[in-house]
Amino acid sequence: MRRSIRLVSLVTAGLATSGGFIYGAHSWDPSDFGVVRIGRAVLTTAAITYDYLMTLRSVPPATQEYDIIISQVHARSARRLLDLCCANRGTYIKLGQHLGALEYLLPPEYTSTLGVLHSRAPSTPLPDVLHIIQEELGKETSELFAQFEETPLGAASLAQVHRAVLRDGQTVAVKVQHPKVRKQSSRDIVIMEILLHMVQTVFPQFDFMWLVEEAKKNLPQELDFLTEGRNAEKMAHMVRKFPFLKIPHIHWDLSTERVLVMEYMEGGQANDLQYMKRNNIDVDQVSRALGQMYSEMIFVHGFVHCDPHPGNVLVRQSEGSRGPEIILLDHGLYQELTDNFRLNYCHLWQALLAADMAGVRRYSQRLGAGDLYPLFACMLTARSWDSVNRGIDRGPVSTEEAQEIRSNAAAYLPQISQLLASVPRQMLLLLKTNDLLRGIETALHTNASASSFLSMSRCCIRAVARHRRQTATSFWSYAHISISESLHLGQLQLYELLLWARTCWLRRWLTLLVHWISYSI
């Protein structure tokens, strides 16, 4: 124990004194958060590490006292991380948001505390915003726009968005990157990597290096707004068959790596149940639409929008009341799935929906879960192992089961961190995406609906059949695959029709019962 504490002290001192050299001579300006930024990070990491070491050293594990005390340490540590993210901004907020989204994978003290970062990102002062626009587009804002709203519509970890009106009268959204985030991001990641190595030395059972590896890969893409624009156009083309899905049009003549001008679209956040009620929007249709479009992205195309937090998924009632429309924003963070990964993932979900435990084990292990495949299945579905064995489509998550899942996130944290370090990198963003979508469904009270499982099943059948047709060696083999696909899709259609008929019958029976009771009274 003394050796661990001495190690923390030495590394803390070393990092604090060398921080200025890592950030470079030009970052000594306090406004650029050079030494101050690294100092905050080092001291926060040291405080959290010391708290866990000293508070838990004499508490026997697997006892009620241990559970109470470690929950308190989790809560204190999460608040320290939140303060660090808010102070250092940029990359720190981005990683804090990532952790806050892993609701079914990390202890609830962390996710509930860090989850507020999606709505608490600080904004850049207007003069700095106008300077970036002029620097990137070569003209004053007044020359480019007839109007430019001073107050941002919203601020995120890497950028903020302002509403404006073009000279031709079109209303647009102008996304402007925070001025220092590009320069600071690579240096921040170096510091985070060093600090996480230090934490892993003290706590070998916790491996969170995957977090830094993901940031190294994804941040350069998210900081290039031209990539974001191309992603938006690619996604709009891929899912053009869904009339309910709206993706803003990009104004390429006014866009650069740090400024993105796009069509302005309005709507309420996808988790705002009161907004849905006020605007007579059917929440079941919203949930079904989300399930359809994400099943299509993941299983069929392997090109996935991986940041569906409520601020990026807006909902509005379509003109003529044809049902709700989904507006998908912020296309900077995408995951491209390899065919091998995508097909194994399809087979795994088919096994989970069929309660095929041999298939769950086989395809989980192909995706890197090893002997931790039961935990992996629970992480993917956010269901208990008993529910996975019974079939996750047999019933919704009960209050007791939800509580059990959150408790297990804390109890199995070492195993979860080991699993996250061993699965393919493609899986990490999918897990985050799953949790964000579940958060929306939970807020709308539509989680575990039969329609979402049907959408997944359809897309899995189509994806597997398409792959088999591509490798077919004869006309008869090709025809057999196509007929089998049609039969399976027909079975799903019949099942959906039966569900609809049963729902209509039940609704009619309840209506008659209410009328009979009212008449009797």
Side-chain angles (χ1 to χ4, degrees):
M1 182 63 67
R2 289 180 180 174
R3 179 179 174 274
S4 296
I5 295 172
R6 188 163 55 250
L7 177 63
V8 171
S9 303
L10 288 172
V11 175
T12 299
L15 285 173
T17 54
S18 62
F21 296 100
I22 294 177
Y23 271 82
H26 297 292
S27 294
W28 282 92
D29 182 357
S31 65
D32 205 19
F33 296 99
V35 175
V36 176
R37 286 173 71 83
I38 190 172
R40 286 197 195 105
V42 170
L43 292 174
T44 299
T45 304
I48 291 172
T49 305
Y50 184 82
D51 196 357
Y52 277 103
L53 282 172
M54 299 306 293
T55 307
L56 299 174
R57 63 177 181 173
S58 58
V59 183
T63 62
Q64 186 175 6
E65 180 189 10
Y66 183 88
D67 292 341
I68 293 171
I69 291 176
I70 199 170
S71 176
Q72 294 170 350
V73 179
H74 286 334
R76 287 196 298 270
S77 301
R79 286 195 295 272
R80 290 184 178 114
L81 275 180
L82 177 64
D83 291 342
L84 173 64
C85 292
C86 290
N88 277 5
R89 306 183 177 190
T91 312
Y92 287 86
I93 288 183
K94 193 69 185 176
L95 266 67
Q97 288 174 341
H98 192 146
L99 291 173
L102 301 177
E103 187 175 352
Y104 296 92
L105 305 182
L106 296 179
E109 294 86 357
Y110 280 94
T111 56
S112 61
T113 302
L114 296 175
V116 303
L117 288 171
H118 284 297
S119 57
R120 276 184 54 178
S123 60
T124 295
L126 182 63
D128 292 340
V129 170
L130 300 181
H131 176 73
I132 291 172
I133 293 174
Q134 182 182 8
E135 191 174 68
E136 291 293 308
L137 299 178
K139 292 182 179 180
E140 295 280 352
T141 308
S142 57
E143 297 178 69
L144 298 167
F145 305 103
Q147 296 177 32
F148 189 90
E149 292 189 3
E150 296 183 3
T151 304
L153 294 169
S157 55
L158 306 180
Q160 63 192 51
V161 178
H162 292 257
R163 180 163 44 195
V165 179
L166 296 177
R167 287 291 174 184
D168 62 5
Q170 292 184 69
T171 303
V172 294
V174 184
K175 183 173 181 178
V176 183
Q177 194 171 108
H178 295 313
K180 299 172 186 175
V181 70
R182 181 183 291 262
K183 181 173 66 175
Q184 292 171 341
S185 62
S186 58
R187 299 162 181 169
D188 286 341
I189 290 173
V190 171
I191 299 305
M192 291 177 189
E193 189 169 18
I194 295 171
L195 293 175
L196 280 174
H197 273 302
M198 181 189 81
V199 172
Q200 193 173 357
T201 303
V202 180
F203 301 109
Q205 68 272 36
F206 296 104
D207 184 358
F208 283 97
M209 292 309 300
W210 56 268
L211 192 62
V212 172
E213 291 168 11
E214 281 300 289
K216 281 182 181 178
K217 177 172 71 75
N218 295 323
L219 265 176
Q221 299 176 40
E222 292 189 79
L223 289 169
D224 182 357
F225 290 173
L226 294 178
T227 297
E228 177 176 345
R230 288 189 289 269
N231 287 342
E233 290 195 341
K234 182 177 179 180
M235 179 53 59
H237 177 74
M238 279 184 171
V239 294
R240 61 191 181 280
K241 71 174 188 177
F242 294 133
F244 60 79
L245 180 57
K246 305 298 177 184
I247 294 176
H249 168 73
I250 306 298
H251 291 265
W252 288 108
D253 57 325
L254 296 173
S255 297
T256 70
E257 289 188 355
R258 299 173 68 203
V259 175
L260 187 67
V261 178
M262 69 201 93
E263 176 186 2
Y264 175 73
M265 291 184 171
E266 282 187 296
Q269 291 195 358
N271 66 342
D272 189 343
L273 187 57
Q274 295 308 312
Y275 168 84
M276 309 283 184
K277 290 178 178 178
R278 287 195 306 271
N279 290 275
N280 297 315
I281 294 175
D282 188 333
V283 294
D284 289 318
Q285 288 187 16
V286 171
S287 184
R288 183 159 54 247
L290 284 171
Q292 286 176 340
M293 70 187 207
Y294 265 91
S295 293
E296 189 81 13
M297 288 183 208
I298 294 169
F299 300 114
V300 178
H301 297 293
F303 187 66
V304 190
H305 179 288
C306 287
D307 200 13
H309 71 78
N312 289 339
V313 184
L314 305 183
V315 180
R316 68 185 182 191
Q317 191 67 275
S318 64
E319 295 180 8
S321 298
R322 296 192 306 270
E325 292 179 341
I326 307 292
I327 301 168
L328 194 59
L329 305 175
D330 196 346
H331 297 265
L333 184 58
Y334 270 75
Q335 180 66 67
E336 290 198 56
L337 309 179
T338 65
D339 285 344
N340 183 60
F341 176 94
R342 181 174 56 84
L343 290 167
N344 281 324
Y345 196 62
C346 281
H347 286 303
L348 174 56
W349 270 104
Q350 287 180 312
L352 286 166
L353 293 169
D356 172 12
M357 291 301 104
V360 169
R361 177 174 183 170
R362 179 166 60 254
Y363 292 109
S364 294
Q365 291 180 338
R366 286 188 186 180
L367 290 170
D371 292 334
L372 292 174
Y373 73 90
L375 177 61
F376 183 56
C378 295
M379 288 165 60
L380 270 182
T381 59
R383 301 297 297 268
S384 68
W385 182 239
D386 287 341
S387 292
V388 172
N389 276 273
R390 287 195 303 269
I392 57 175
D393 59 343
R394 297 298 175 88
V397 182
S398 65
T399 306
E400 294 77 14
E401 185 180 1
Q403 183 57 44
E404 177 189 346
I405 293 165
R406 285 178 171 81
S407 300
N408 286 342
Y412 292 100
L413 188 56
Q415 291 87 345
I416 289 173
S417 68
Q418 178 187 340
L419 192 51
L420 293 175
S422 62
V423 296
R425 301 299 90 186
Q426 301 166 77
M427 181 62 69
L428 299 177
L429 283 179
L430 285 189
L431 288 168
K432 172 197 170 187
T433 302
N434 286 346
D435 277 359
L436 286 169
L437 291 172
R438 285 192 194 102
I440 292 174
E441 290 184 334
T442 301
L444 299 180
H445 307 302
T446 60
N447 43 326
S449 64
S451 62
S452 61
F453 293 129
L454 286 168
S455 295
M456 293 173 67
S457 296
R458 282 195 186 92
C459 288
C460 288
I461 289 169
R462 287 170 49 216
V464 172
R466 185 177 68 178
H467 174 72
R468 291 176 62 198
R469 275 195 294 269
Q470 289 172 349
T471 57
T473 55
S474 68
F475 170 79
W476 298 112
S477 176
Y478 188 97
H480 179 265
I481 294 166
S482 297
I483 292 169
S484 176
E485 176 190 13
S486 298
L487 288 173
H488 281 103
L489 291 174
Q491 287 176 335
L492 287 179
Q493 189 70 36
L494 180 60
Y495 178 65
E496 188 172 33
L497 183 62
L498 290 172
L499 282 178
W500 175 81
R502 187 173 66 182
T503 303
C504 289
W505 176 85
L506 182 60
R507 189 183 298 118
R508 191 180 304 115
W509 184 85
L510 288 173
T511 303
L512 289 173
L513 180 62
V514 169
H515 283 313
W516 180 80
I517 292 173
S518 302
Y519 179 77
S520 301
I521 293 174

